[in-house]
Amino acid sequence: MATIYEVSKLAGVSLATVSRVMNNNANVSDATRKKVTAAMDELGYRPNSIAQSLASNCSNSVGLLVSELQGPFYGPMMSGIENTFRNQGKHLIIAAGHSDEEREKQGIEFLISRNCDGLILHVEAVSDDYLIKLSKGRTPFVLINRYISELSDRCILLNNIKGGYLAAKHVLEQGHKNIAYISGPLWKQDAKDRLEGHKQALAEFDLEFDENLLFQGDFMEASGYEGLKALHQQTHPFTALICANDEMAVGAMASARDLGLTLPKQLSIMGYDNVFFTRHVYPQLSTVNYPIDEMGRMAADWVLNHVYQKQTPPLQTLFEPELIVRHSISRQSAQITSQG
Amino acid sequence: MATIYEVSKLAGVSLATVSRVMNNNANVSDATRKKVTAAMDELGYRPNSIAQSLASNCSNSVGLLVSELQGPFYGPMMSGIENTFRNQGKHLIIAAGHSDEEREKQGIEFLISRNCDGLILHVEAVSDDYLIKLSKGRTPFVLINRYISELSDRCILLNNIKGGYLAAKHVLEQGHKNIAYISGPLWKQDAKDRLEGHKQALAEFDLEFDENLLFQGDFMEASGYEGLKALHQQTHPFTALICANDEMAVGAMASARDLGLTLPKQLSIMGYDNVFFTRHVYPQLSTVNYPIDEMGRMAADWVLNHVYQKQTPPLQTLFEPELIVRHSISRQSAQITSQG
DNA sequence: AGAAAAATTGTAAGCGCTTACAGTTGAGCC
DNA sequence: GGCTCAACTGTAAGCGCTTACAATTTTTCT
C-alpha cells in the first residue's frame, strides 16, 4: 500500500503538502494540487485512516451500541443511522450489549478505545450513574430510548405515555370495557410509561384499572404467549388485550389460537411499536407506531451537530407515537363475556 | 486519557515493559508485572487501540459488508458473526452496500482503509473480476452467498439447488401438479439455482416446467404481490405457488387475499429462507430453512482461522437447506382447477 | 525598484503504541 | 572468583499521518 511518503516523492513535494491536498483545506496552489492528485492516482493511493486517526485525534467513526443486532426493532434504527453517516463520510462501528450490564460496559469501552468521535447508545442494563459519569469523559454520546434528567438534552425519546394512552383509547372507543394488559418489565421506564398512559385513558373513560388483568412480561414473544395463558386462567373476564409491544402481541395471538379463541371476534389484541411484520400476521395487528428509524436519524444528526459541528436540521428529542389501526380490534357493542 | 508513558512512569519501568505486560507474551517477571498492572489500575489506563493498530499493523477488527442493515435476513447473520468475534476480542465494523455496485465498492474500500484485518462480504452488485482482483490485495476476505470458482475456498454457500428441489418436491408430494413459480432476479446465482432445483424435482415427477407459470420477481415483497396478480391473470391454471423467498411469499399471500382466494385451500404457497416471521403469518408458511446464522458464524470462523491463525472447528463452505413444513400447503388429491 | 504583506511550501515534532536489538542482572558451574 | 548463559528490562526506531512554525516565493503597493 502506497503511503503519503511515496506520493510526496513522486509528486516532488513535501509530506505536508500531500496531507494538505488530502484534507483540501489549507491553501495549496492549483498546480501542486494537480501534481499531487496525479501522483495519488498513479499509485492508487488510499489514506490509512488509522494513521489519520492517531495523528488528528479524530477517527471519523461513531460507535453504536444496540441491544441486539437482530430483531425487527434495531434494524431500521441502524439503517437510519448508517444512511445519515454515510452521506457525511462518517462511519459506524457497531457493538451489541445484549441487555447485559457487563456486556454493555464492555461495548462502550471498546467503542471508546477505538477512538470513536461520538457514541449512540441504546442501553438498558447500565445504571444512570454510570452514564452520568461517562458524560464527564471525553467522548460525547447520545441516548436513544432512555431518559436521565441530568442528561436530558441528549436523550432521544418516544412519548410512551401518549403511546400507551393512544392504544388504550382506541380499544376503549371500540366499546371494550374489560381490557387485559401485558406489560414490559416494569423496572424499565418505557414499560412503565406505556402502562401509565394506558391507565390515563382508562380514567378518562371512568374505568378502573384491574390489577388482575395485568401480566408483566419481558417484551419477548414467549412472555406474550405465557401472559395470555395466565390471564385466561384467572376469573376476571376481558374482551381485549393490549400488549406493550408487538412481539408479545404476536406471542399472545399464538396463545389465543391455542386456546381456541377466534381473532379478533372473541379477543381483540393490540400491539405497540409497529414493527414491520405486524402487517403480515393474521389478523393484521393494530398497533402504535414507534418512529425508530427517524429517531435513529435524529441521533445521528445530534452527533453530526455536537461532535462534528455540522449544520443539521433542528434537533428534536421527543418523538410522538401514532395509532395504526388495522384489523385486530373488533367493535364491541355490548358486554358479551359473562362475569367470572 | 492515560497513556502507556504515564503508566511506565508510575510503575517505574520502561515503555516496552508496559507494552509487554499488555500483550502478556514476552517474559516479564511477576514482580514487574504486578507493579505495572497496579499502575494501570490506578490510572484507569485503557490502551488506545488506534495506536496499537498503527504500530502493530493489526487492528483486531474485521469488516462486514451487508446489503442492508435491516430486514429479517441480515440480522441473524450479523448477530452470529458478532457473537463469535466478541468471544475472541475481535470487533466488527459494519457497512451497508445496498446492492449497489458503487456503494459496495465504497464500503469495501472504507473497511480496508480502516485497517480491517479481514473482511466478510455479502455482496451482490460487484463483479467477479473485481473480487478476484481484490483477493490479490493484502486484506483477506470471505464471501457469503456467492460463488466464484477462482475463489471457491472462501465462498460460504447454501446448496440452493437442493433447496429449490426440496421445496418443489414437498409440494409435488402433496399432490400438486400445476405449480407456479415466482423467482428472484435470474441474473443472481441463487435465484437461478433455486429455480434449477425446482425444475429437477418437476422432472423427477415426470412433469414439465411451464414457462407461463414463471414470474421473475426481485426478492422483495412487492414483486410477490405483483407476481401472483400477473400469474392469476394468465390462463394456465395452478394450485400451488412456490416463491424463491419468504418476502415474496408474503407479498403473494396478500395478493391472494385481495384476489379472494382462501389459503391454503384454493392456493398453496411455499416460501424460502425461513425468516423468523414466517411462523407468524397466516397460514403459517411452509418454507426452506436457510441457516444464515450458522453461515455467519462459519464466516467468522474462517476469518479467525485464516487471519488470526486461531484454532477453529473444521471449516465448512457448503450448507444444506432443510424443508420446514407448516400449514400453507394443502393436500391435493386430484386436479381441482379447471383448465384455462 | 524595493519593502511589506500574502500565499505557498517545507521542516520536524509529535499522536500512542510495538518490537528488534542491546544492555543489565543474577544464577549455575568449574 | 570468573565465566557462561538465561532471564529480564531498557533504548530507540519506527507505524503513516497531521500541523505548528519556519522558510520561501509571489503579489501588492508606494
Side-chain angles (χ1 to χ4, degrees):
Chain A
M1 212 59 185
T3 73
I4 199 178
Y5 175 75
E6 303 170 44
V7 174
S8 76
K9 277 276 275 287
L10 208 170
V13 298
S14 72
L15 295 183
T17 303
V18 177
S19 177
R20 283 189 193 103
V21 346
M22 275 172 45
N23 303 294
N24 57 268
N25 47 348
N27 11 17
V28 180
S29 73
D30 276 6
T32 37
R33 183 181 302 278
K34 234 162 251 167
K35 274 194 299 187
V36 172
T37 48
M40 292 210 236
D41 285 352
E42 192 175 332
L43 294 170
Y45 172 77
R46 300 268 135 221
N48 177 329
S49 58
I50 294 285
Q52 287 179 316
S53 299
L54 185 61
S56 68
N57 200 30
C58 167
S59 62
N60 280 316
S61 62
V62 350
L64 171 63
L65 187 74
V66 296
S67 298
E68 300 296 336
L69 256 26
Q70 56 186 318
F73 189 77
Y74 296 103
M77 177 174 122
M78 294 192 284
S79 202
I81 294 173
E82 201 260 353
N83 253 297
T84 300
F85 284 139
R86 170 173 284 267
N87 292 333
Q88 300 285 333
K90 309 301 176 198
H91 292 277
L92 254 197
I93 302 187
I94 300 187
H98 302 282
S99 303
D100 173 82
E101 182 165 7
E102 238 1 270
R103 296 175 83 171
E104 286 185 354
K105 283 187 185 173
Q106 267 179 32
I108 291 173
E109 296 216 330
F110 163 68
L111 293 171
I112 290 178
S113 83
R114 284 224 70 85
N115 277 19
C116 287
D117 301 326
L119 262 35
I120 298 176
L121 305 178
H122 185 292
V123 287
E124 322 193 281
V126 118
S127 72
D128 282 10
D129 283 347
Y130 176 86
L131 290 169
I132 291 172
K133 217 168 91 190
L134 190 67
S135 72
K136 316 267 199 254
R138 71 184 158 98
T139 310
F141 61 86
V142 57
L143 296 168
I144 293 187
N145 198 35
R146 170 134 186 185
Y147 183 72
I148 299 178
S149 59
E150 287 90 338
L151 269 30
S152 62
D153 51 320
R154 48 170 99 183
C155 294
I156 295 182
L157 294 167
L158 181 69
N159 187 341
N160 275 309
I161 297 182
K162 172 125 171 251
Y165 171 83
L166 252 29
K169 187 171 168 223
H170 174 65
V171 172
L172 289 161
E173 284 173 349
Q174 299 309 303
H176 295 270
K177 295 209 177 340
N178 299 300
I179 304 174
Y181 192 89
I182 300 182
S183 75
L186 289 172
W187 58 268
K188 291 193 182 175
Q189 191 62 44
D190 51 355
K192 239 187 328 202
D193 286 352
R194 290 173 192 191
L195 180 54
E196 183 179 330
H198 178 84
K199 288 180 180 171
Q200 280 181 10
L202 246 42
E204 217 168 73
F205 278 68
D206 290 322
L207 256 25
E208 257 181 43
F209 179 69
D210 182 351
E211 292 285 342
N212 295 293
L213 294 182
L214 170 66
F215 179 90
Q216 183 171 335
D218 62 3
F219 281 142
M220 302 216 279
E221 189 181 337
S223 76
Y225 188 94
E226 292 309 320
L228 178 54
K229 215 165 99 183
L231 288 165
H232 191 257
Q233 275 165 7
Q234 55 83 55
T235 53
H236 293 233
F238 56 94
T239 59
L241 167 67
I242 298 185
C243 297
N245 79 349
D246 291 333
E247 320 241 358
M248 294 194 298
V250 158
M253 285 174 79
S255 191
R257 284 213 181 78
D258 285 359
L259 294 168
L261 300 171
T262 319
L263 301 178
K265 208 170 151 209
Q266 292 182 280
L267 180 66
S268 292
I269 298 186
M270 178 97 196
Y272 197 115
D273 281 350
N274 193 26
V275 132
F276 79 97
F277 65 74
T278 49
R279 281 180 301 123
H280 300 316
V281 300
Y282 187 81
Q284 291 185 12
L285 192 64
S286 291
T287 186
V288 172
N289 188 51
Y290 191 141
I292 184 62
D293 47 344
E294 272 182 64
M295 288 168 65
R297 261 174 272 138
M298 184 56 62
D301 277 345
W302 189 98
V303 170
L304 251 21
N305 189 310
H306 285 74
V307 177
Y308 298 112
Q309 285 78 46
K310 297 248 181 191
Q311 284 294 353
T312 57
L315 298 179
Q316 169 192 359
T317 57
L318 189 64
F319 283 74
E320 295 300 328
E322 196 186 337
L323 182 70
I324 306 286
V325 177
R326 287 200 273 253
H327 312 304
S328 65
I329 311 290
S330 66
R331 179 112 197 103
Q332 181 83 356
S333 31
Q335 181 81 20
I336 54 170
T337 316
S338 63
Q339 284 291 333
Chain B
M1 212 59 185
T3 73
I4 199 179
Y5 175 75
E6 302 169 43
V7 174
S8 75
K9 276 278 271 290
L10 208 171
V13 297
S14 72
L15 297 183
T17 303
V18 177
S19 177
R20 284 191 192 101
V21 348
M22 276 172 44
N23 304 295
N24 56 270
N25 47 348
N27 11 18
V28 180
S29 73
D30 276 5
T32 36
R33 182 181 303 279
K34 234 162 251 167
K35 276 194 299 186
V36 172
T37 48
M40 292 212 246
D41 285 353
E42 192 176 332
L43 294 170
Y45 172 76
R46 300 266 135 223
N48 177 328
S49 59
I50 294 285
Q52 288 179 314
S53 299
L54 185 61
S56 67
N57 200 28
C58 166
S59 63
N60 279 317
S61 62
V62 348
L64 172 62
L65 187 74
V66 296
S67 298
E68 300 297 336
L69 256 27
Q70 57 186 318
F73 189 77
Y74 296 103
M77 178 174 123
M78 294 191 283
S79 202
I81 294 173
E82 201 260 353
N83 254 298
T84 300
F85 284 139
R86 170 173 284 269
N87 293 332
Q88 299 286 334
K90 309 301 175 198
H91 292 277
L92 252 199
I93 301 187
I94 300 188
H98 302 281
S99 302
D100 173 81
E101 181 165 7
E102 238 3 89
R103 297 174 84 170
E104 287 185 354
K105 282 187 186 173
Q106 267 178 33
I108 291 173
E109 295 216 330
F110 163 67
L111 294 170
I112 290 178
S113 82
R114 285 223 70 84
N115 276 19
C116 286
D117 300 327
L119 262 35
I120 297 176
L121 306 178
H122 185 291
V123 287
E124 322 192 282
V126 119
S127 71
D128 283 10
D129 282 348
Y130 176 85
L131 291 168
I132 291 172
K133 215 168 93 190
L134 190 67
S135 72
K136 316 268 199 255
R138 72 184 157 98
T139 309
F141 62 87
V142 57
L143 296 168
I144 293 188
N145 198 34
R146 169 132 186 188
Y147 183 72
I148 299 178
S149 58
E150 287 89 337
L151 268 31
S152 62
D153 50 321
R154 49 170 97 182
C155 295
I156 294 183
L157 295 168
L158 181 70
N159 188 341
N160 276 308
I161 296 182
K162 173 128 169 248
Y165 171 83
L166 287 174
K169 186 172 169 221
H170 173 65
V171 172
L172 289 161
E173 284 173 349
Q174 299 309 305
H176 295 270
K177 296 209 176 340
N178 300 299
I179 304 175
Y181 192 89
I182 299 181
S183 75
L186 289 172
W187 57 268
K188 292 192 182 176
Q189 192 61 45
D190 50 357
K192 238 188 324 201
D193 286 352
R194 290 173 192 191
L195 181 54
E196 184 179 330
H198 178 85
K199 289 180 179 171
Q200 280 181 9
L202 247 42
E204 218 169 71
F205 278 67
D206 289 324
L207 257 24
E208 258 181 44
F209 179 71
D210 182 350
E211 292 285 344
N212 295 291
L213 294 182
L214 170 66
F215 180 90
Q216 181 171 337
D218 62 4
F219 281 142
M220 304 217 278
E221 188 181 337
S223 76
Y225 188 94
E226 292 309 319
L228 178 53
K229 215 164 99 182
L231 288 166
H232 192 257
Q233 275 165 8
Q234 55 83 56
T235 54
H236 293 232
F238 55 95
T239 59
L241 168 66
I242 298 185
C243 297
N245 78 349
D246 291 333
E247 319 241 357
M248 294 195 297
V250 158
M253 285 173 78
S255 192
R257 284 212 181 80
D258 286 358
L259 293 168
L261 299 171
T262 320
L263 301 178
K265 207 169 149 210
Q266 293 183 277
L267 180 66
S268 293
I269 297 186
M270 178 98 197
Y272 197 114
D273 280 350
N274 193 26
V275 133
F276 79 97
F277 66 75
T278 49
R279 281 181 300 122
H280 300 315
V281 299
Y282 186 81
Q284 291 185 12
L285 192 65
S286 291
T287 187
V288 172
N289 188 51
Y290 191 140
I292 184 63
D293 47 344
E294 271 183 64
M295 288 169 65
R297 261 174 272 137
M298 184 55 62
D301 277 345
W302 189 96
V303 170
L304 251 24
N305 189 309
H306 284 75
V307 177
Y308 298 112
Q309 284 77 45
K310 297 249 181 189
Q311 283 293 354
T312 57
L315 298 178
Q316 168 192 359
T317 58
L318 189 63
F319 283 74
E320 295 299 328
E322 195 186 338
L323 182 70
I324 306 286
V325 176
R326 288 200 273 252
H327 312 305
S328 64
I329 311 290
S330 65
R331 178 112 197 104
Q332 182 82 356
S333 32
Q335 182 81 22
I336 55 169
T337 314
S338 67
Q339 284 290 334

